[in-house]
Amino acid sequence: KEAGIIYVSTSDGKLRGLSLADGEDRIPPTDFTTPFARNWSLNLIDGVIYSSTARGCGGAIAHFTALDLKNPTRRTVEYFTSTGRPGGAWGRGGLVRGPKGIYAQTADAPYDPAAGWFGNTVMALNAKDLRLLDTYTPASWEFLNAKDLDLGSANPVIFPFDKWTLVASAAKESVISLLDANSLGATDHHTPLYQSPRWGNDEFLLAGRGLWGAMATWQDAQGKRWLLMPMWGPPSKDAPNFQYTYGAADQGSVMAFEVRLDPEKAKPTLVPVWMSRDMHVPDPPVVANGVVYALQTGENTAQGRGITAKDRSTPITNAILYALDGETGKELYSSEKLIDSWTHFSEPVVAGGQIYVSTWDGRLYAFGLKK
C-alpha cells in the first residue's frame, strides 16, 4: 500500500510490480522462480516477497523463494526442500510470518534431516536468507507419506495465546497440532504441545477430504481465541461432539474450536464448539465483525486414473456464500442461487466494507457488510 504497487508472478518465472492506480509497470520484470513452475501465494513481509514452488510443474525442484524488494537486482534467495518434486509446500496461505522468521509446511517426501529431506514437516526459516532454524515432523510421517495425506495441502496459522505464540498445523489427515513457535517440536522435533483427535477423513482418502487451503483464526470481543477449519467431506465418526451442530454435514463444513488452557497439563487445548450446516467443499473462511463468511465452492474434487480435465471442470453444484454467527455457527445469510457458477481455490475476501467472491467463469461478486 505504501508504494502503491501490486505484485504478481507470471508463468515465465518473473515477478512484476504494477501501479495500483493504472496498472503500469513500476519495476522491471525480475527473475523470481523457475519458468512454468507452480508457485503459490505471494506474501510481502517487511520488504521481502516470498513464495513456495511445489508439485514439479515445469520440472521445478520444490523450494522456497525470497526476493528483497529494496534490492531486486540481487539474486533471489532460495531454499530447496528436496532434490526433485516431493517435499513442496503448496498451502494457499504460502509462507507465514512468525517469531523466528518464516514458517511453512511441506508435502510428502522422505524425512532424513542429515540428508536435507524434510517431508511432511513444519519448518521455520530465517526471514532474510531462508536458513533453516527449527522443524516439527509428526511421528506419523511415514503413514502420511504412504496414504498421500501430506501437510503440504495447507499452511500453518500463527497467533498469540497465553504465554505462547502458537502454530496450528493440519492438512488432509484432519488432525490439528498446536506447536510452540519458538520450539516447534521440542527437543526431538516430533513433540507438539497438543494434538487433536482426527476430525474427518475416516477413509484416509488423498483427495476431496480433510483440509485443503488453510485454517483461520480470530479473537472475539471477550478475548476468546478461535480456530476455524474448513472440512471437506463428513466429520469423523469417532470425533468428539460439538456443542452446536446443524444437521448432517456429509459434503463438508466449517468446524470452530475455542483455544483454551488445559488446567491439568498447563498447555493449550482445543474445545469443539460448533460445526456449521452442510457445505460442499468449503474454502478457508474469513471473519469480520464477529461474523464468519464461508464459501461453498461446488467444485468436483475427483482425482485419479480415468478422471479427465473435463470431469474436474464439471461442478457438483453452485457456489454459495454463507454468513455464520461466530459464537454458534448459526446461519445468518445465504446467497442461495445468486451465484450460478462454481470456484476452485478462491476463498472470500473482505475489504472496504465488502465481501468479494470470484468464480470459475471469470466473474467477481461483491456483497455488502451490514453495520
Side-chain angles (χ1 to χ4, degrees):
K1 289 182 179 180
E2 291 79 4
I5 298 175
I6 181 169
Y7 295 97
V8 296
S9 61
T10 48
S11 61
D12 56 1
K14 305 287 186 181
L15 181 76
R16 287 168 163 80
L18 311 176
S19 168
L20 276 172
D22 57 18
E24 287 291 324
D25 285 340
R26 293 287 298 275
I27 65 170
T30 303
D31 289 338
F32 185 61
T33 192
T34 309
F36 307 109
R38 193 188 300 194
N39 65 303
W40 303 77
S41 186
L42 296 182
N43 284 348
L44 177 58
I45 302 172
D46 295 334
V48 179
I49 201 157
Y50 300 91
S51 186
S52 58
T53 298
R55 309 293 296 231
C57 295
I61 297 173
H63 66 282
F64 306 138
T65 301
L67 178 67
D68 188 347
L69 295 172
K70 297 175 184 175
N71 193 359
T73 58
R74 288 186 60 190
R75 186 179 65 85
T76 301
V77 176
E78 295 175 310
Y79 180 94
F80 291 87
T81 57
S82 77
T83 58
R85 179 183 186 276
W90 51 281
R92 276 174 278 154
L95 283 78
V96 182
R97 182 211 300 262
K100 278 194 170 183
I102 303 302
Y103 294 70
Q105 54 191 55
T106 63
D108 295 330
Y111 174 72
D112 184 354
W117 285 87
F118 291 97
N120 282 310
T121 294
V122 179
M123 308 178 74
L125 303 104
N126 182 279
K128 293 295 184 181
D129 60 13
L130 296 184
R131 176 172 50 88
L132 183 62
L133 301 176
D134 198 4
T135 63
Y136 162 73
T137 307
S140 60
W141 66 268
E142 290 178 296
F143 175 77
L144 299 181
N145 275 342
K147 294 293 186 179
D148 193 1
L149 298 175
D150 55 296
L151 294 182
S153 69
N155 60 269
V157 174
I158 300 178
F159 53 88
F161 176 76
D162 201 86
K163 65 181 181 180
W164 299 276
T165 298
L166 294 181
V167 178
S169 172
K172 299 179 194 176
E173 189 187 17
S174 309
V175 172
I176 302 174
S177 297
L178 297 180
L179 316 172
D180 181 349
N182 289 297
S183 180
L184 286 175
T187 55
D188 65 355
H189 299 284
H190 298 291
T191 304
L193 288 173
Y194 165 83
Q195 189 170 76
S196 79
R198 189 162 35 80
W199 296 103
N201 200 0
D202 283 345
E203 310 96 322
F204 299 117
L205 295 180
L206 63 87
R209 293 289 188 271
L211 174 63
W212 290 63
M215 292 183 285
T217 184
W218 68 292
Q219 191 170 32
D220 65 21
Q222 290 74 45
K224 295 179 183 178
R225 171 61 63 176
W226 295 82
L227 190 64
L228 306 173
M229 180 163 65
M231 175 65 67
W232 290 12
S236 173
K237 295 177 181 177
D238 298 325
N241 294 327
F242 289 84
Q243 183 178 354
Y244 303 101
T245 57
Y246 301 92
D250 293 334
Q251 298 183 81
S253 64
V254 173
M255 296 178 173
F257 306 89
E258 184 185 342
V259 186
R260 294 183 186 172
L261 186 67
D262 185 327
E264 295 183 2
K265 298 181 179 179
K267 291 183 178 181
T269 188
L270 295 178
V271 177
V273 179
W274 57 261
M275 183 175 66
S276 75
R277 57 153 295 154
D278 193 34
M279 299 181 194
H280 181 77
V281 188
D283 257 352
V286 63
V287 184
N289 301 330
V291 177
V292 176
Y293 295 94
L295 184 66
Q296 167 181 290
T297 65
E299 73 165 300
N300 186 342
T301 62
Q303 294 186 35
R305 293 183 178 180
I307 303 298
T308 66
K310 183 177 180 181
D311 293 329
R312 288 193 293 271
S313 62
T314 302
I316 300 298
T317 185
N318 60 300
I320 299 175
L321 177 68
Y322 292 101
L324 310 172
D325 182 281
E327 300 280 345
T328 66
K330 181 180 178 181
E331 182 181 326
L332 304 175
Y333 170 81
S334 166
S335 67
E336 296 183 358
K337 297 183 180 180
L338 291 177
I339 303 173
D340 60 6
S341 184
W342 59 287
T343 193
H344 169 73
F345 281 16
S346 183
E347 57 276 354
V349 172
V350 173
Q354 306 279 348
I355 307 161
Y356 296 97
V357 173
S358 62
T359 51
W360 182 258
D361 56 359
R363 285 186 286 177
L364 181 67
Y365 294 81
F367 299 83
L369 287 171
K370 285 188 176 182
K371 295 183 179 179

